[in-house]
Amino acid sequence: MGREFILDFISQSDFEKHVLKTLNKYQEVLKSIDLKKFNSNIIDPIKLLFDKHIYVKSYEEIIALELQRQRDKSNNNSIGYFHQNIFQYIKGCEVPKSGWDIVFKGEKNSYFVELKNKHNTMNSSSSQKTFMKMQNHLLNSKNSKDICALVEVIAKKSANEPWIISLDGQRQTSNERLRRISIDKFYEIITGDKLAFKKLCEQLPKTIEKLLKQNSHLQLQKDSVYNELKKLDKDILTALYKLAFLTYEGF
């Protein structure tokens, strides 16, 4: 029988504490959504109409999907919290309140990290700003072993390579101390285990299931949107039109 907890670079108590903190960040989106909250930014009934027919869904199903989409906006921040703040529990790492997302002081090098959840979350302007911040740190650092790194959770590929961009149309020369690293390679740098991130991914569902069983408050409440729409009008499409177009001519 395999071990219940398979991570060697973080204690079970710290890992479970961190996962629970992340789950608790979902509390707000687990609350029931009523019609007023559902339409707080004014829904697009035309889009919902197209989606219903293209995806062959009922109105109840398509509204449930829209509710999920609204919740997902907040959930991305919770996942960002998980990926960044887990490092405060790992030896040699700290999560500064400002400046860098993560700092790792290793035996050979110190890493100053900007962490991104996905490779395409930065536009050209923010990429250049981050790149120049790293360049400035390396130019002003008295420690020649400092490395600045853009670390990506969802990278295009597993990699630890120089990060090269174009500034004002000029492609920058390669700098071995300014790097672009996928999250698996970053975990390997920190732990010395090339499978550390894979093990985390294997451990995570077991820990989430365990904690959800122990914390009954972390349950999705029943939404009232569909029933409120039926009260607004027996025809759901008409009810959706009323939400967005009530002041328009003819509605």
Side-chain angles (χ1 to χ4, degrees):
M1 185 176 180
R3 288 187 297 159
E4 178 186 347
F5 188 75
I6 62 173
L7 304 182
D8 299 320
F9 53 86
I10 184 173
S11 71
Q12 182 171 350
S13 61
D14 282 343
F15 186 70
E16 291 182 356
K17 178 169 64 175
H18 181 59
V19 173
L20 183 57
K21 283 183 178 180
T22 305
L23 289 170
N24 280 327
K25 289 184 174 294
Y26 276 75
Q27 273 189 279
E28 188 61 32
V29 297
L30 291 174
K31 293 179 180 177
S32 174
I33 296 177
D34 60 14
L35 191 57
K36 182 179 179 180
K37 188 174 181 181
F38 174 71
N39 197 44
S40 59
N41 288 321
I42 307 182
I43 58 95
D44 183 347
I46 303 297
K47 177 183 181 301
L48 294 182
L49 176 62
F50 271 91
D51 288 350
K52 175 190 181 299
H53 289 284
I54 290 170
Y55 301 128
V56 195
K57 301 287 185 181
S58 67
Y59 277 116
E60 188 169 9
E61 289 172 325
I62 215 67
I63 288 166
L65 288 172
E66 172 61 18
L67 288 166
Q68 183 62 47
R69 186 195 66 79
Q70 291 183 10
R71 285 186 165 102
D72 277 345
K73 287 185 177 180
S74 298
N75 295 346
N76 288 333
N77 293 330
S78 301
I79 299 306
Y81 170 87
F82 172 80
H83 285 303
Q84 178 183 1
N85 285 275
I86 192 173
F87 288 99
Q88 66 186 294
Y89 303 105
I90 300 176
K91 183 180 178 181
C93 295
E94 64 174 300
V95 179
K97 291 183 179 179
S98 61
W100 301 97
D101 292 331
I102 303 157
V103 175
F104 169 60
K105 300 290 181 69
E107 292 181 5
K108 293 182 178 180
N109 300 97
S110 292
Y111 285 78
F112 296 83
V113 171
E114 287 285 329
L115 181 69
K116 298 298 178 185
N117 190 48
K118 201 167 185 179
H119 65 86
N120 60 355
T121 53
M122 289 197 302
N123 59 28
S124 177
S125 176
S126 60
S127 291
Q128 290 181 13
K129 185 177 179 180
T130 300
F131 189 88
M132 287 187 288
K133 172 186 174 181
M134 293 180 176
Q135 275 190 328
N136 287 335
H137 175 87
L138 294 177
L139 286 171
N140 296 316
S141 175
K142 295 178 181 179
N143 191 339
S144 62
K145 294 185 177 180
D146 280 2
I147 291 175
C148 288
L150 174 68
V151 173
E152 297 166 323
V153 179
I154 312 296
K156 288 184 177 181
K157 62 178 182 178
S158 175
N160 179 359
E161 59 193 14
W163 184 26
I164 305 172
I165 69 169
S166 294
L167 288 175
D168 299 325
Q170 297 294 318
R171 183 174 172 84
Q172 300 299 293
T173 56
S174 176
N175 184 343
E176 289 298 321
R177 294 169 59 208
L178 205 165
R179 308 192 69 77
R180 188 171 192 166
I181 307 173
S182 57
I183 195 71
D184 62 320
K185 294 297 185 183
F186 188 58
Y187 269 90
E188 180 181 353
I189 289 167
I190 289 171
T191 66
D193 180 359
K194 65 180 181 180
L195 297 179
F197 182 67
K198 178 179 185 293
K199 291 174 183 176
L200 182 146
C201 293
E202 291 175 348
Q203 180 63 49
L204 196 54
K206 300 172 189 175
T207 299
I208 290 174
E209 288 174 16
K210 175 183 176 180
L211 294 174
L212 287 178
K213 287 177 182 178
Q214 295 173 351
N215 294 273
S216 58
H217 66 286
L218 293 170
Q219 293 182 358
L220 181 63
Q221 298 177 10
K222 185 173 177 60
D223 299 315
S224 60
V225 174
Y226 186 72
N227 288 335
E228 288 185 71
L229 281 170
K230 286 198 295 185
K231 290 179 181 178
L232 188 63
D233 197 289
K234 290 182 180 179
D235 182 81
I236 296 297
L237 180 58
T238 301
L240 289 169
Y241 282 158
K242 286 181 178 179
L243 287 184
F245 306 139
L246 187 60
T247 63
Y248 288 21
E249 294 294 338
F251 289 90

